[in-house]
Amino acid sequence: VRSTGKLYSGDIFTKANFSGTIQDITQKKLEEQRKDDFLSIASHELKTPITTLKGSLQLLSRYRDNMLHPMVVKLVDQANASVTKITGLIDDLLNTTRTNEGQLFLNYRSFNLYEMLETCCSHIRMREKYRLILHGNKDLYIEADEARIDQVVVNFVNNAVKYAPDQREIHLSVEESGGMVKVSVRDFGPGIPADKIPYLFDRYYRVDYSGVQYSGLGLGLYISAEIIKKHHGQIGVDSELGKGSTFWFTLPVRKV
Ligand code: ADP
């Protein structure tokens, strides 16, 4: 809100200033609504052709080794990787509009958290050269939407890979304290400036790392926060510049 800056800079809080602020907020809300409507339509429209494209590429991949020239295999692999990236972005947009419309439904079931993280790590190891090190309590069960919790962990790890590209190690841990279970993903990247941390989980927020362009929409952490909030847990980050970041969430544990 533009006038907020004015108020903080010591101006007298007059009626005129106040109505200006309300107008700005209404205008901002309308703009956000228009942006959401557009994104919702655009992402739905994109989803169908991308799904068809993905299907065709997967079919091609199946014949890869015995029928395709190695050059074609390489191109198909690259196309597959790009389609996976686009699908992820579209899913983020769809999840965001669903979340805003209160349509994030959870499918609760009981599962072992360590096993879930192990599966998640082995999937990521297949596509990344990073050393993913998992440690912690192997006997913790939670009652939650497994696919959604997996989405949060994958989002943390993908960010660690993206924003800490010079490091080759990521540590995951799962531990229990006071009836809550805590999952952490630690990277050894550049860390996040303290004044940016309060905004990280806001919709569309991205830190401006001047000079370096990272792909993304600024929605992953927002969606992760919505998922964890809906599970009655907490989400956060501890970070130190030059040392790295630890993104974490907590959830109620279930005794078995
Ligand atoms: P995106 O990655 O699409 O920008 P996210 O919501 O996942 O969106 O992240 C928001 C912002 O938080 C990122 O733009 C980045 O600036 C910062 N961030 C997230 N994870 C890390 C990390 N592990 N190290 C440094 N910065 C990070």
Side-chain angles (χ1 to χ4, degrees):
V1 178
R2 257 176 290 135
S3 25
T4 319
K6 253 189 181 172
L7 294 178
Y8 283 131
S9 64
D11 278 10
I12 298 163
F13 188 27
T14 61
K15 252 190 181 162
N17 266 342
F18 184 62
S19 64
T21 310
I22 298 278
Q23 242 172 25
D24 283 353
I25 291 171
T26 318
Q27 186 61 30
K28 202 171 171 212
K29 278 250 168 288
L30 272 173
E31 275 167 22
E32 271 192 7
Q33 184 60 48
R34 272 195 220 117
K35 201 168 169 184
D36 285 351
D37 290 348
F38 168 76
L39 288 178
S40 172
I41 294 166
S43 40
H44 273 108
E45 290 299 318
L46 286 169
K47 186 88 187 172
T48 316
I50 293 288
T51 309
T52 313
L53 183 61
K54 195 173 182 171
S56 310
L57 286 171
Q58 274 168 354
L59 210 62
L60 261 180
S61 301
R62 247 191 263 162
Y63 297 104
R64 45 186 299 155
D65 291 333
N66 38 7
M67 287 179 72
L68 300 178
H69 187 277
M71 178 73 175
V72 179
V73 171
K74 202 173 159 204
L75 290 172
V76 169
D77 282 348
Q78 278 172 0
N80 252 324
S82 295
V83 165
T84 304
K85 214 168 178 181
I86 299 170
T87 314
L89 291 172
I90 295 174
D91 284 343
D92 272 0
L93 290 173
L94 284 172
N95 278 325
T96 304
T97 44
R98 271 187 206 132
T99 307
N100 291 343
E101 288 157 10
Q103 288 179 356
L104 184 76
F105 300 117
L106 298 181
N107 194 1
Y108 277 88
R109 69 176 201 88
S110 172
F111 61 92
N112 180 297
L113 200 51
Y114 192 92
E115 282 169 18
M116 190 221 93
L117 290 170
E118 223 167 27
T119 313
C120 181
C121 284
S122 58
H123 285 153
I124 294 166
R125 279 190 201 109
M126 274 192 250
R127 64 172 169 83
E128 302 286 351
K129 290 186 289 285
Y130 280 73
R131 268 190 70 190
L132 292 177
I133 298 159
L134 171 62
H135 50 91
N137 192 328
K138 295 187 176 168
D139 303 316
L140 291 173
Y141 280 78
I142 57 166
E143 192 98 41
D145 187 321
E146 189 171 0
R148 290 291 182 193
I149 298 303
D150 180 82
Q151 188 182 343
V152 176
V153 177
V154 169
N155 184 34
F156 284 177
V157 176
N158 282 347
N159 276 348
V161 169
K162 182 159 65 169
Y163 297 105
D166 300 334
Q167 314 300 317
R168 308 240 59 92
E169 239 177 52
I170 297 167
H171 291 208
L172 287 90
S173 73
V174 46
E175 61 207 359
E176 187 200 354
S177 146
M180 297 298 276
V181 58
K182 185 174 186 181
V183 174
S184 311
V185 176
R186 176 171 184 208
D187 69 56
F188 300 87
I192 300 159
D195 60 330
K196 308 286 191 265
I197 287 184
Y199 309 105
L200 280 192
F201 297 90
D202 287 358
R203 197 153 50 123
Y204 304 122
Y205 184 80
R206 311 197 70 211
V207 179
D208 181 9
Y209 294 108
S210 46
V212 199
Q213 291 284 335
Y214 295 103
S215 68
L217 297 167
L219 291 174
L221 290 179
Y222 165 73
I223 295 165
S224 301
E226 291 299 314
I227 291 171
I228 298 301
K229 265 192 257 163
K230 197 125 198 208
H231 279 90
H232 310 291
Q234 290 190 324
I235 191 165
V237 59
D238 305 314
S239 188
E240 204 178 326
L241 278 181
K243 295 240 164 100
S245 311
T246 304
F247 280 86
W248 55 263
F249 62 82
T250 62
L251 294 170
V253 73
R254 192 178 78 93
K255 296 273 176 226
V256 282

